[in-house]
Amino acid sequence: MVIGIVGLGLIGGSLAKAFKYSKSATVLGLDKDQLVTQIAKMSDFIDDDLTEKIAECDFVFLCISAPATVKFVKENAEKFSKKCIVVDCCGVKVPVCQPCFDVAKEHGFTFVGGHPMAGTQFSGLKHSKQDMFVNQNMVLVPKHDEDVNVLQKIKDVLTLAGFGSVSVTTAEKHDQIIAFTSQLAHVVSNAYVKSPSASMHKGFSAGSYKDLTRVAWLNEEMWANLFLENADNVSFEIDNIIKELQKYKNAIESNDFETLKKLLKEGRICKERCDKF
């Protein structure tokens, strides 16, 4: 099996290491920074440069931005073999999936949207980890009439990288949910640390502070693009949390113990209900 990986940052680098560690595939890699590709090859994270060998790949994972993914698929459409399954790893799906479905159909290869539910606050090849995806979930977005055998092939190759489960959804549903589970969390964390009290946290902070601020340390260019590519969904979630926070603020300012207790109870029950699924 030959696996190509485009973009050797945190996600792409971790995929390369995981597939190499499995000893079940030849791993070819490509990064826009040729030095990164060379380092990956010298470090034995990849077997060779992907550039001239795309046609040899059974799978190609695109670990680059949404616009770059669409551009790469269009520019290399004639190079993919008919047997190749191309999977992207972008944080949004609507801007990516349909354009790539159309190109894949025209040129006879298979494209499936994807989003690995794993990561850290850091970026780049140096922070990639061979065990990044162990027991993690991969979200897949196939075209509506995709052959179930294709999804099984993807699931099988993802197992080599350590993934524990696969979810299947639509591009629209993915972007709606991810705006809440990931993108809003990054907005809130990033805004939270702008408090004038943040510089005085040492000696007064513990687990709750660390949990809430971990993803404030982010790649601002990447996340700004993700927010704008999913603007309607992210805006909806921000509006909703502002509305909810205002309720807490009003109760506190009016010294309304019963309302505040009710709000806190509602939040606890929501968390309990969510964790059952």
Side-chain angles (χ1 to χ4, degrees):
M1 183 191 307
V2 180
I3 298 175
I5 300 174
V6 180
L8 296 172
L10 178 68
I11 299 300
S14 296
L15 281 175
K17 292 177 181 180
F19 287 130
K20 279 285 288 179
Y21 181 80
S22 75
K23 302 186 187 304
S24 299
T26 297
V27 182
L28 308 177
L30 172 65
D31 194 89
K32 64 181 180 180
D33 186 341
Q34 186 58 34
L35 179 60
V36 172
T37 305
Q38 292 172 357
I39 291 172
K41 186 176 178 180
M42 288 188 299
S43 303
D44 201 31
F45 302 154
I46 61 174
D47 294 294
D48 207 348
D49 193 311
L50 173 66
T51 306
E52 303 299 326
K53 299 184 177 183
I54 294 177
E56 300 176 16
C57 293
D58 300 289
F59 294 88
V60 173
F61 288 89
L62 305 177
C63 307
I64 49 183
S65 70
T69 291
V70 176
K71 183 173 185 285
F72 187 90
V73 169
K74 289 180 176 179
E75 290 180 348
N76 293 276
E78 295 183 356
K79 299 178 184 178
F80 297 121
S81 74
K82 305 298 183 184
K83 68 177 181 178
C84 186
I85 299 174
V86 180
V87 182
D88 86 280
C89 295
C90 297
V92 290
K93 297 273 77 76
V94 169
V96 171
C97 286
Q98 196 57 55
C100 292
F101 289 153
D102 292 342
V103 174
K105 181 178 180 180
E106 180 183 351
H107 292 272
F109 62 92
T110 300
F111 179 87
V112 176
H115 189 181
M117 295 291 98
T120 73
Q121 67 268 41
F122 304 111
S123 59
L125 179 65
K126 67 179 180 179
H127 294 294
S128 61
K129 301 187 295 182
Q130 170 265 317
D131 62 350
M132 174 79 75
F133 308 110
V134 173
N135 295 324
Q136 301 302 314
N137 184 60
M138 177 72 155
V139 179
L140 295 180
V141 179
K143 64 181 190 294
H144 73 278
D145 58 348
E146 188 59 83
D147 185 346
V148 68
N149 292 321
V150 168
L151 298 182
Q152 186 59 53
K153 288 179 181 178
I154 299 173
K155 185 176 180 179
D156 290 344
V157 78
L158 291 172
T159 299
L160 297 179
F163 285 93
S165 60
V166 170
S167 302
V168 179
T169 188
T170 65
E172 292 76 15
K173 180 59 70 174
H174 169 277
D175 288 3
Q176 176 190 354
I177 297 174
I178 213 69
F180 170 69
T181 61
S182 176
Q183 294 171 346
L184 178 64
H186 283 77
V187 170
V188 171
S189 181
N190 198 262
Y192 176 81
V193 295
K194 293 179 181 178
S195 166
S197 302
S199 62
M200 300 179 283
H201 82 89
K202 289 186 178 180
F204 297 86
S205 56
S208 56
Y209 172 84
K210 292 177 182 177
D211 290 344
L212 189 51
T213 61
R214 181 179 67 84
V215 294
W217 194 340
L218 46 68
N219 180 323
E220 57 270 18
E221 182 172 352
M222 181 186 79
W223 282 99
N225 281 323
L226 287 171
F227 296 153
L228 294 178
E229 288 157 356
N230 198 22
D232 289 348
N233 289 315
V234 176
S235 180
F236 170 83
E237 295 297 343
I238 292 174
D239 282 344
N240 187 69
I241 197 169
I242 289 172
K243 181 180 70 176
E244 291 300 319
L245 286 172
Q246 189 64 51
K247 294 177 184 178
Y248 291 83
K249 184 174 185 289
N250 291 344
I252 291 169
E253 288 184 341
S254 59
N255 198 33
D256 188 341
F257 176 83
E258 291 302 323
T259 297
L260 184 57
K261 186 173 75 169
K262 178 175 177 289
L263 290 168
L264 294 169
K265 182 179 180 180
E266 288 173 351
R268 173 176 58 79
I269 292 172
C270 284
K271 172 63 174 171
E272 291 172 354
R273 187 185 303 124
C274 291
D275 286 353
K276 290 180 180 179
F277 296 101

